[in-house]
Amino acid sequence: MTASHTAPIDDYNGRLETIRRAEYPQLFSGDSLRTVYLDHAGSTLCAASHVRNHTNMLLTQIPANPHSRHQSSQWTHAGIEQARARLLQFLGTSEKTYAIVFTANATAAIKLAGELTPMDDGKGAFCYTQESHTSVVGLRKMASNRGIGVVPAKFDDLDQVLAPENSTGTSLLAYPAQCNFSGQRFPLTVPDRIQRMYRGGDSGVHPPWWVLLDAAGFVSSSPLALDDLASGPDFVALSLYKIFGMPTGLGALLIKRSSVPFLRPKQYFGGGTIGVLSFDTRFEEFRTDVEARYEDGTLNYIDILSVNHALDAYTANFGSPVAVSKHAKSVTQYAMARLRALAHSNGTAMCEIYATKDIDQQGPTVAFNMRDPRGEYIGYAEVERLA
């Protein structure tokens, strides 16, 4: 099958080759392209302008611990707050609706969400969908240790799980916006469905079901637009390197501000999370701002400052997540069409692809098995060796 028989690849309005040569020299050996890198879902490449601008900042400025009050510290603090605001804007929301807490990675963000959800010990439930990442599934250990029921479920069965007649206490639902295995995307409307299920209750009381959205795989190649949702999730977990290529040791947890008053009390304090501390009376008073309260110890401030350079490069190169989504979608469609066309000499299809029928619900992940001329599966180790 030739490229002419497939849909054309979106090339950022003819700028793809220019972007590739200017921003991704790691793909080239001299003037020749030496590597084709297909990974917008797991770990995209960092742009050269991002690296240069971040390096220049380190060589010309003096970043410092933002918990101090001297000039360099305050400059760093301002850069961190700028990164927070810009990331929220990138995700289609603002500090009025969400607080953004920086973590070590998406896994740490998911763990923090589990710790903060006020699940009822011995009565509540932790539900996760079968397409969840292991980092989400890992919360079941935390739940079971507290006597909280664990409910694995298919996404299509969630209405039954969430129904008022089946709710026994404050519970947590966690699900991915995009499946890491198949790339299938799931509706972001679950929090709204919960609100409508429990609309007869007091508007000042949180519904019994809390929602954690694992958006780490989704936001690398799709706009999130949180403020466009009728009701947003309580928590959103994400990883920065998946979107920008670097920094690799930085994730974030978005916490819905209207949910903050109902959060489970912190079980630990340290670093800048404390405003007042008495050693002899065992009295401690947490910081009032949400971000400082849940960011234990010194922030990874150098990498957080890098986020500003990452956003500058992303905007200059691609314009918006919408453009990246169009490009990634077109490459995915192209790859699937080429794989489906592969056949052995006897006509047996070489590839069995696991994907949704609706391309709009398909992320840029192509999961497949290969078959031999008899139609038998070829082991992944053999495929890897040949590749």
Side-chain angles (χ1 to χ4, degrees):
M1 187 176 189
T2 62
S4 61
H5 293 136
T6 63
I9 290 179
D10 181 275
D11 63 353
Y12 299 108
N13 296 320
R15 297 178 57 247
L16 179 58
E17 187 61 24
T18 300
I19 295 171
R20 182 185 286 137
R21 289 189 174 275
E23 291 284 32
Y24 302 102
Q26 59 270 55
L27 298 178
F28 292 87
S29 176
D31 291 332
S32 301
L33 185 69
R34 66 179 176 88
T35 302
V36 176
Y37 190 84
L38 291 173
D39 196 353
H40 239 316
S43 178
T44 193
L45 294 176
C46 55
S49 60
H50 175 188
V51 176
R52 282 194 299 268
N53 291 336
H54 183 59
T55 302
N56 183 62
M57 181 271 291
L58 292 175
L59 296 175
T60 59
Q61 301 292 338
I62 306 177
N65 190 327
H67 292 159
S68 299
R69 294 193 177 276
H70 54 79
Q71 183 176 359
S72 294
S73 173
Q74 292 304 294
W75 177 86
T76 304
H77 174 77
I80 290 172
E81 295 311 303
Q82 182 186 32
R84 287 193 212 275
R86 294 183 67 186
L87 267 178
L88 288 170
Q89 184 180 26
F90 180 83
L91 298 169
T93 186
S94 70
E95 59 185 9
K96 291 182 180 180
T97 308
Y98 281 93
I100 184 165
V101 175
F102 287 114
T103 60
N105 43 46
T107 297
I110 290 167
K111 180 174 180 286
L112 179 60
E115 293 170 344
L116 295 180
T117 304
M119 290 181 280
D120 287 333
D121 292 358
K123 294 191 298 181
F126 167 58
C127 175
Y128 61 92
T129 60
Q130 66 178 7
E131 299 84 4
S132 296
H133 189 274
T134 54
S135 298
V136 169
V137 179
L139 291 178
R140 71 186 184 188
K141 184 70 172 177
M142 182 186 300
S144 61
N145 287 342
R146 292 170 50 190
I148 295 166
V150 176
V151 184
K154 294 181 179 180
F155 188 88
D156 291 341
D157 296 336
L158 285 183
D159 279 351
Q160 180 180 350
V161 175
L162 301 171
E165 59 268 24
N166 295 326
S167 296
T168 58
T170 303
S171 304
L172 173 64
L173 165 67
Y175 76 98
Q178 178 176 301
C179 175
N180 273 23
F181 165 70
S182 67
Q184 181 180 359
R185 289 175 171 172
F186 300 96
L188 306 181
T189 55
V190 173
D192 184 50
R193 285 156 60 184
I194 292 174
Q195 288 287 347
R196 286 187 278 110
M197 283 182 183
Y198 294 89
R199 63 183 181 276
D202 184 349
S203 60
V205 177
H206 194 288
W209 279 98
W210 288 57
V211 178
L212 162 61
L213 180 70
D214 175 9
F218 180 81
V219 294
S220 64
S221 58
S222 183
L224 190 53
L226 285 167
D227 282 355
D228 289 346
L229 301 175
S231 181
D234 300 284
F235 305 105
V236 180
L238 55 102
S239 178
L240 278 299
Y241 82 92
K242 290 181 181 292
I243 309 171
F244 307 119
M246 62 176 278
T248 55
L250 191 63
L253 179 68
L254 274 65
I255 304 175
K256 197 173 184 180
R257 290 197 181 273
S258 60
S259 302
V260 170
F262 307 100
L263 294 176
R264 187 167 180 250
K266 281 197 71 174
Q267 305 301 301
Y268 170 83
F269 64 84
T273 60
I274 285 292
V276 179
L277 175 67
S278 172
F279 285 97
D280 54 349
T281 62
R282 297 186 179 180
F283 172 79
E284 62 268 356
E285 183 177 282
F286 287 99
R287 295 274 295 273
T288 56
D289 52 312
V290 178
E291 297 85 354
R293 193 187 316 168
Y294 297 115
E295 292 172 339
D296 294 325
T298 301
L299 284 172
N300 184 359
Y301 56 88
I302 287 180
D303 280 349
I304 296 173
L305 293 175
S306 170
V307 172
N308 289 311
H309 306 128
L311 286 163
D312 289 342
Y314 189 101
T315 303
N317 290 326
F318 311 123
S320 72
V322 174
V324 171
S325 179
K326 288 175 61 180
H327 172 72
K329 181 178 179 180
S330 70
V331 174
T332 303
Q333 290 177 298
Y334 178 88
M336 285 186 175
R338 296 299 295 265
L339 288 170
R340 286 193 176 105
L342 294 174
H344 294 285
S345 58
N346 64 357
T348 301
M350 284 188 182
C351 296
E352 179 179 349
I353 299 176
Y354 306 100
T356 61
K357 294 181 180 179
D358 185 352
I359 190 63
D360 291 329
Q361 294 180 1
Q362 179 67 43
T365 298
V366 183
F368 63 95
N369 275 120
M370 298 197 74
R371 294 179 180 269
D372 64 21
R374 297 170 298 170
E376 301 292 331
Y377 290 114
I378 301 173
Y380 72 88
E382 180 66 7
V383 175
E384 186 176 49
R385 185 187 68 81
L386 293 170

